[in-house]
Amino acid sequence: MLTAVRRFLFGSPLPTAEEVHQRLTKVKALAVFSSDALSSVAYATEEILLVLVVAGSAALGFSLPIALVIAGLLAIVATSYYQTIHGYPSGGGAYIVAYDNLGVWPGLTAAAALLIDYVLTVAVSITAGIAAITSAFPVLLPFRVELCLLAIALIAWANLRGVRESGTLFAIPTYGFVFIFLTLIVVGLVRLITGTLSPALVHTTPGVGRGTQALTLFLILRAFASGCTALTGIEAISNGIPAFQKPEADNAGKTLIAMAALLMTMFLGITFLARSLGVTPVEDQTVVSQIGRQVFGNGPLYLALQAATALILVLAANTSFADFPRLSAILARARYLPRQLTNLGDRLVFANGIIALAFLASSLVVVFGGQTHRLIPLYAVGVFLSFTLSQMGMVRHWHKERGQGWQWKVAVNGLGAVATGAVLLVIAASKFIHGAWIVILLIPIFVWMFRTIKRHYLTLAKQLSLEGLGLEEWVGMASYQTHKVVVPVSGMHRGTLAALRFARSLSKDVTAVVVDVEPQFTASVREKWPVWGHDVPLVVLESPYRSTIGSLLAYLDEVDQREPERGPAVVVLPEFVPARWWHHLLHNQTALLLKTVLTYRQGQTGQDRVIIDVPYHLRR
Amino acid sequence: MLTAVRRFLFGSPLPTAEEVHQRLTKVKALAVFSSDALSSVAYATEEILLVLVVAGSAALGFSLPIALVIAGLLAIVATSYYQTIHGYPSGGGAYIVAYDNLGVWPGLTAAAALLIDYVLTVAVSITAGIAAITSAFPVLLPFRVELCLLAIALIAWANLRGVRESGTLFAIPTYGFVFIFLTLIVVGLVRLITGTLSPALVHTTPGVGRGTQALTLFLILRAFASGCTALTGIEAISNGIPAFQKPEADNAGKTLIAMAALLMTMFLGITFLARSLGVTPVEDQTVVSQIGRQVFGNGPLYLALQAATALILVLAANTSFADFPRLSAILARARYLPRQLTNLGDRLVFANGIIALAFLASSLVVVFGGQTHRLIPLYAVGVFLSFTLSQMGMVRHWHKERGQGWQWKVAVNGLGAVATGAVLLVIAASKFIHGAWIVILLIPIFVWMFRTIKRHYLTLAKQLSLEGLGLEEWVGMASYQTHKVVVPVSGMHRGTLAALRFARSLSKDVTAVVVDVEPQFTASVREKWPVWGHDVPLVVLESPYRSTIGSLLAYLDEVDQREPERGPAVVVLPEFVPARWWHHLLHNQTALLLKTVLTYRQGQTGQDRVIIDVPYHLRR
């Protein structure tokens, strides 16, 4: 029954042998790896405007110079990653590059930053995607948190079933998005030049004209920091090089350049249009939606724009659902995370990682009310920390390798490291009180957690190791040893008989024990014992404090101490198993409790006690 | 550690022998048994006014005639219970009287009504008690739900420690309450007559003068129904007769008359004062508090009034913490409720019943926002249903017994049954949509639950019974049977060795099984096996779908079917036990999962499989 539901939801199990990889052409690879980066143009401009608007609508003019600086930064980072692709053709994620070249601590720091980023990518992309939908259909606005949770659940479900990163599947929404965005920009520019589009405010927010804060340098830096979210996802190609057709690194490099060019064009175009049309950020409609309504009107082209935006943002979230479980499996294999994260599920996916990501991203969405701009301050810190560590790692890499033209390569990655490091400081400082502090606090906590987990696994391996064990002590033992066996009895019933029978088949030295909590029960056991007791001696334990478990434990300790050389007595537990789950609620869970206590508690002799469960199934 | 905390919180365990009962004088008994009944004067008048006020302040004049009718009803019910006391000198709760005289179904109905009532007594008393406090300190009003939950938690904690129903402890607040209430009434009347107290509205609620509804008969009946909460708790003495000094029934009867007289005086006095002072119910202050401020001013006497009110309401809630666990233990012994409710805890209290009551009452407080008047419509239904069933039972009792003057006794209890039955109908009808429907729905659900639970226990007893079992089959079995033993192995470590050693001591027919999910693990096991394998054959199971548990279960079925006459193979499970609780999170819970699946799943041969747990404790 449960299995059938599971099959229906997640499909039949896939054999391990089906784990094959498909190689991607450049065109398909761009679709697969760029959704995260390209989709950020859907919100990056708006985030800049949202900061500037507090200084009044005049301040919005700064958006264009800020966007140009960000575009320059994008060029630096893209060049830097172009080199990483050639330095790590097998895939150079920030964790691997930092770990290899800078050591354990920077590696773990990068890993922590990346894990946090993946969670935030899901939360930011989904809230922005749902914002694209609620902009077109404002009636849905009150349900945005619910819609976000639904979207996350659907993506998680698709990933649990196992979506292949199929190029064809990704190509349609990605290229659709690029196409409609470029159309928007071109049509908008043409209509601006021909004068058929007059700059008119769609909404006028009261009081926006004046603004509530002065336009300080700090505010401009904060707007810049918000806009830097446009760069998120740019590293994706450098992680996925093995998926490219041969020559992998060359193809990946070209794809990266194409992606960076597209991203820069779209980001600058949207920011320019927003400025020229005098768009002001409002609560219930995104900036892109406002531009779309002005340029396209309310017709099918506008709806297509919103649909494409929502779709690519869902794809962007989806990339994290591939990256997060993969990185956590890598960390788990290195023993820095619980080993359950390495389990390849029925459908050849890291199911636990997918579930963890969905849970964490959903929590963020709920806590931050499904609002993109409240999540943004948390977002960029981790991204730029991993950028910086990765570039620093590459500097070290070239320096160690000293290949042809290594000084030049060091200079390029060095510039990247300095630029992203400076931006990181700007972001951390300007966004600190708005939420960046959360990530700044979380990263060392994660690193500490990684180390603690690793230490546990190492200690464990040492304790369980066979090295230095004496063969005689552990293997050369006589068979058919006569164990001391104790059977706790709660009443005379078929379950008791089954347990006694098994105990007698084990050993001649069996004792049954009943704790005298309810006198009438004890009397009934005593009465039936001569007939049904398998000739086993019956011990009645007084229990003035009515503690069944306490009395049994004391008795077991006493038995063990009588002949310590024979080891702890084996406990045979009669347990009847109800036919329906709710029947459990109607029974004292004494057997379960006793089992748990005995498992966790070592006997006074310090040896481990064996516990034998003899179930007796009830039929209804 | 845990034990120490538990001792600190709840005290040391008490031996069963300490379960003794103290006999109460009439004066102390009045204090112990009347807090529930007397405390209702703190809110009953207000509940009448709250209904009438919707018809405008002129309608408030009806409160006095309504109070007089309720006083008459009180006289009838008290007389009726006076007879019950003499008919059931060993304690005649509604459940026992109805069960004995009317049969199973009416008995269970009364039990359901009583359990619901006890929960509501706690919720109503606590919310009203906290209202007395927030009336004096309005600053606490926003925290009333939190304060209610805190109060319930404290009472539950005191009861888990085991508060004796100590007469002395109860006497101070109860008599303090009676004293200050009578003082309030006397001073109020004297000042009214001498004209030093002018009827002036403390608060004027806008629009109250006109009212929003017409003053219909239905509204008056609804006000009457609300006022009937004054009668709650009047049955307490008839349940507690054995606690009185000899002659128990006589003393209990006299105490009942004293309590009824006090209750009637206080209820009529407060209602009269409320009328004469023109008090209108308001949101942030109770009616009693308004009267108190007018009569006493804002000085220490007023604060004493509020403190005494809050205190007796806490005592009233406390009585339910004695009654609910006791009744549920009685029902559980009769197998109508889970048997855990009969467990006498460390401190000689029915801990599970106390916890259940605290949980249910807290839920009610949260759901109804800590507001007394929203809980009242639920309250009276159960009370009057149990009154009616109890009186009907007494009619039957006298009729069966036919002792001296039985016709007279039948007439008295008959009048009581008719009166409370009529009131029950009025309450159910007039309060139906305001919440009475919840209780009317819950009572049959409870009764159905009682029967279902009883049926389960009866079925269980039949299935476990030794009757009709063949002695040869169940007892006369050869010792030292050679079991088939299977040891699932996940890797070569000390835990595995311990399990293999135990398995070999059990039987010569041992097989070790490893599921090939991770090839490098399997290889390591194969390599170490010749040295450490105890000469046990090792079987490697292919698992194309990476399901350890699925492959093991299939293998066990196969082994069982090979020699079905030998019964299911015994499974010996190596299990290492981590030293810290959080270490569990770092391990696949395969052993635990396998144990659970094996316990609940019967083998294909339909017999029960024995599971042996060999723990290996990690030291850190």
Side-chain angles (χ1 to χ4, degrees), chain A residues 471-481 565, chain B residues 501 504-505 534:
Chain A
L471 255 185
E472 315 73 41
E473 187 196 345
W474 284 84
V475 179
M477 215 160 188
S479 302
Y480 285 120
Q481 180 192 0
E565 71 286 355
Chain B
R501 189 168 58 178
R504 287 292 288 120
S505 79
H534 282 77

Side-chain angles (χ1 to χ4, degrees), chain A residues 513-518 541-555 590 593-594 597, chain B residues 3 6-7 13-16 343-348:
Chain A
V513 187
V514 62
V515 181
D516 182 23
V517 172
E518 298 198 58
L541 299 175
E542 298 301 320
S543 181
Y545 296 100
R546 302 164 309 286
S547 162
T548 310
I549 306 245
S551 304
L552 277 175
L553 293 178
Y555 175 76
T590 316
L593 196 61
L594 187 59
V597 170
Chain B
T3 313
R6 205 172 136 187
R7 289 275 154 96
L14 296 173
T16 319
N343 295 2
L344 214 52
D346 272 2
R347 298 284 296 180
L348 292 171

Side-chain angles (χ1 to χ4, degrees), chain B residues 192-209:
Chain B
L192 266 180
I193 292 164
T194 57
T196 58
L197 195 65
S198 56
L201 293 179
V202 182
H203 289 248
T204 36
T205 317
V208 159

Side-chain angles (χ1 to χ4, degrees), chain B residues 469-617:
Chain B
L469 283 189
L471 256 183
E472 315 74 42
E473 186 198 344
W474 283 84
V475 180
M477 215 157 187
S479 303
Y480 284 119
Q481 181 192 357
T482 309
H483 294 285
K484 288 181 287 188
V485 178
V486 171
V487 187
V489 168
S490 66
M492 283 313 285
H493 54 67
R494 299 188 189 194
T496 317
L497 295 191
L500 283 173
R501 189 168 58 178
F502 188 82
R504 287 292 288 120
S505 79
L506 268 189
S507 170
K508 277 176 182 154
D509 183 2
V510 179
T511 314
V513 186
V514 64
V515 180
D516 182 23
V517 173
E518 298 198 58
Q520 72 270 36
F521 273 112
T522 314
S524 143
V525 171
R526 271 193 210 273
E527 181 211 327
K528 291 176 181 154
W529 202 256
V531 178
W532 296 102
H534 282 77
D535 304 325
V536 166
L538 176 71
V539 173
V540 177
L541 298 176
E542 298 302 320
S543 182
Y545 297 100
R546 302 164 308 287
S547 164
T548 311
I549 306 246
S551 305
L552 277 175
L553 292 179
Y555 175 76
L556 287 172
D557 282 344
E558 188 200 310
V559 168
D560 290 351
Q561 275 167 340
R562 229 180 280 150
E563 294 169 282
E565 70 287 354
R566 285 178 68 196
V570 171
V571 173
V572 175
L573 277 179
E575 184 177 22
F576 57 85
V577 183
R580 307 242 180 292
W581 67 267
W582 62 267
H583 292 171
H584 282 281
L585 305 176
L586 303 178
H587 302 283
N588 283 330
Q589 302 300 324
T590 316
L592 184 65
L593 197 60
L594 187 59
K595 232 180 342 182
T596 311
V597 170
L598 285 175
T599 307
Y600 284 94
R601 177 181 179 276
Q602 288 187 281
Q604 292 207 335
T605 54
Q607 279 173 279
D608 300 322
R609 183 189 310 286
V610 172
I611 301 137
I612 301 183
D613 216 14
V614 183
Y616 183 81
H617 280 87

Side-chain angles (χ1 to χ4, degrees), chain B residues 23-35 38 166-168 170-172 174-175 178 237 243-245 251-252 254-256 258-259 262:
Chain B
R23 292 298 182 110
L24 300 167
T25 64
K26 284 197 287 296
V27 171
K28 285 188 177 175
L30 181 66
V32 167
F33 293 115
S34 68
S35 62
L38 293 181
S166 146
T168 324
F170 276 51
I172 298 162
T174 306
Y175 285 110
V178 169
I237 290 176
F244 282 80
Q245 287 179 340
N251 284 327
K254 285 174 190 158
T255 310
L256 174 65
M259 179 178 84
L262 273 175

Side-chain angles (χ1 to χ4, degrees), chain A residues 188-387:
Chain A
L189 291 178
V190 169
R191 289 191 61 189
L192 267 178
I193 293 164
T194 57
T196 58
L197 194 66
S198 57
L201 291 179
V202 183
H203 289 248
T204 35
T205 318
V208 159
R210 278 167 299 141
T212 55
Q213 286 183 26
L215 183 69
T216 56
L217 177 64
F218 188 73
L219 198 72
I220 291 175
L221 286 177
R222 202 143 75 72
F224 167 75
S226 291
C228 284
T229 49
L231 270 69
T232 56
I234 202 164
E235 78 290 355
I237 290 176
S238 68
N239 298 339
I241 310 168
F244 281 80
Q245 287 179 342
K246 284 182 185 175
E248 291 92 347
D250 278 353
N251 284 327
K254 286 173 191 159
T255 310
L256 173 65
I257 292 168
M259 179 176 83
L262 272 176
L263 178 56
M264 202 182 289
T265 313
M266 287 159 73
F267 175 56
L268 288 176
I270 285 294
T271 310
F272 180 75
L273 273 184
R275 241 355 270 134
S276 309
L277 298 176
V279 170
T280 308
V282 291
E283 173 69 24
D284 56 352
Q285 203 182 145
T286 63
V287 164
V288 170
S289 164
Q290 293 183 53
I291 297 172
R293 281 195 209 257
Q294 286 195 60
V295 172
F296 289 150
N298 274 318
L301 271 177
Y302 165 72
L303 286 177
L305 172 72
Q306 294 306 103
T309 308
L311 214 54
I312 199 167
L313 283 161
V314 166
L315 281 194
N318 189 67
T319 57
S320 280
F321 274 92
D323 293 337
F324 182 97
R326 188 158 47 203
L327 178 58
S328 29
I330 292 173
L331 288 168
R333 271 201 209 98
R335 298 282 181 243
Y336 288 118
L337 279 178
R339 66 167 71 152
Q340 291 93 314
L341 291 166
T342 65
N343 294 0
L344 213 52
D346 272 2
R347 300 282 297 178
L348 291 172
V349 295
F350 297 115
N352 291 327
I354 292 170
I355 292 164
L357 175 61
F359 174 77
L360 294 171
S362 299
S363 313
L364 275 184
V365 166
V366 171
V367 170
F368 290 91
Q371 292 177 290
T372 314
H373 72 270
R374 293 181 58 197
L375 288 160
I376 290 289
L378 284 73
Y379 195 16
V381 178
V383 176
F384 277 82
L385 179 54
S386 66
F387 280 171

